[in-house]
Amino acid sequence: MASKLHKFIRDPSRHLARKIHPLLGGPHRFFLQSLMDIDPRSIWHNPQFPHGFLIPEGRRIADLQWWDRVRRDMLVLLLRDVIVRQVRGDFAELGVYRGLTARLIHQYAPERTLHLFDTFSGFDKSEIEEPTQSGHFADTSVKAVMRTIEPRGNVIAHAGRFPATITPEIERIEFAFVHLDADLFEPTMAGLEFFYPRVPAGGVIVIHDYNAWPGARRAVDEFCAGKRVFPIPMPDKSGSAVIAKTA
């Protein structure tokens, strides 16, 4: 019994994968990462990193889905870096759906204004790339998103097709952290074209689904080509890419 417990502690994902393998109906595996070593809740936590290193007072880490913990940790580390280096600007997300990622961003940094851009009614019909995409992500609303986020600070929803929802006031804002999760080519490209010039040095743009949705990947690659901008691919489930602004 002790030997089995020791093996489970050393590699829980391997043993859990064996248990859920029959339920998944084939050779499908997720790496079930639990907590980073710098997280004080981790059994591998090094006390040389105090509790406030990752989760300072007043900040919370809100979970994403259980299969998306690598992205959760990536976002938390990037948010922490932007905050510690005091990069000026608001935060933004383009492509909000039901608000899980927006909740993570806001609950970790409630002092920053968070702008949410989405139709809040699914893909715009003029932007879908395949007939099967019609109606995707329509089961949401501004009210449902706010209920998920549980705002502790200033969270502003801009409902409608992007970039038509950009106002002169928004054009004057700088953005220290941007999360693009629009999936399709047109809104992703529009997001990069609008936000990139408004991100100061040290700011970060994260593009979700870079290695999952061809339209998102094409938008990133075309935008970065010739600009000496290099998207760094991440190993989360849907393959995000990160662009760090250097100047």
Side-chain angles (χ1 to χ4, degrees):
M1 178 67 183
S3 175
K4 289 183 178 180
L5 180 61
H6 179 67
K7 290 179 179 179
F8 178 82
I9 292 173
R10 287 185 60 187
D11 191 359
S13 64
R14 179 181 178 185
H15 294 277
L16 286 173
R18 288 177 178 173
K19 294 293 184 183
I20 66 174
H21 179 274
L23 301 177
L24 294 174
H28 307 292
R29 287 188 178 182
F30 281 107
F31 172 66
L32 301 178
Q33 176 176 311
S34 54
L35 297 167
M36 295 181 289
D37 290 0
I38 57 173
D39 193 317
R41 300 167 296 175
S42 170
I43 62 173
W44 291 285
H45 177 243
N46 185 338
Q48 290 179 307
F49 291 92
H51 187 283
F53 179 85
L54 183 66
I55 316 175
E57 185 176 352
R59 305 196 187 284
R60 304 171 186 166
I61 296 179
D63 256 329
L64 301 178
Q65 292 96 336
W66 64 268
W67 60 80
D68 218 4
R69 289 177 176 173
V70 173
R71 186 166 69 97
R72 173 202 65 190
D73 291 347
M74 173 195 69
L75 292 173
V76 168
L77 290 175
L78 292 173
L79 288 165
R80 179 190 178 277
D81 195 50
V82 165
I83 293 165
V84 168
R85 289 188 286 105
Q86 299 181 335
V87 180
R88 65 184 183 275
D90 292 355
F91 290 177
E93 182 175 43
L94 169 59
V96 180
Y97 189 32
R98 292 182 172 178
L100 281 181
T101 305
R103 179 182 64 178
L104 183 153
I105 295 169
H106 174 69
Q107 292 296 333
Y108 193 80
E111 75 280 7
R112 299 282 185 122
T113 298
L114 175 60
H115 298 267
L116 304 177
F117 298 91
D118 201 303
T119 64
F120 297 99
S121 59
F123 285 158
D124 188 281
K125 293 181 179 179
S126 66
E127 295 174 336
I128 60 173
E129 296 158 359
E130 300 175 8
T132 56
Q133 295 170 347
S134 180
H136 276 26
F137 308 114
D139 53 337
T140 186
S141 67
V142 172
K143 184 177 180 180
V145 166
M146 291 300 181
R147 191 163 53 243
T148 296
I149 295 173
E150 299 179 322
R152 297 192 285 149
N154 200 7
V155 179
I156 305 172
H158 306 277
R161 183 185 176 190
F162 188 89
T165 49
I166 297 299
T167 64
E169 291 76 19
I170 296 173
E171 288 181 336
R172 293 191 288 269
I173 297 174
E174 288 186 303
F175 295 91
F177 183 90
V178 178
H179 186 252
L180 301 182
D181 193 3
D183 301 330
L184 306 177
F185 174 83
E186 285 190 30
T188 302
M189 178 63 83
L192 289 166
E193 290 175 342
F194 175 78
F195 287 111
Y196 186 80
R198 292 169 175 81
V199 175
V204 172
I205 300 176
V206 179
I207 307 95
H208 191 221
D209 294 313
Y210 177 70
N211 278 321
W213 285 74
R217 184 183 183 95
R218 183 162 63 93
V220 173
D221 289 347
E222 289 187 16
F223 177 82
C224 293
K227 287 186 173 66
R228 295 191 61 80
V229 175
F230 306 99
I232 302 172
M234 295 290 110
D236 56 304
K237 171 190 164 294
S238 294
S240 297
V242 175
I243 297 174
K245 194 74 175 288
T246 58

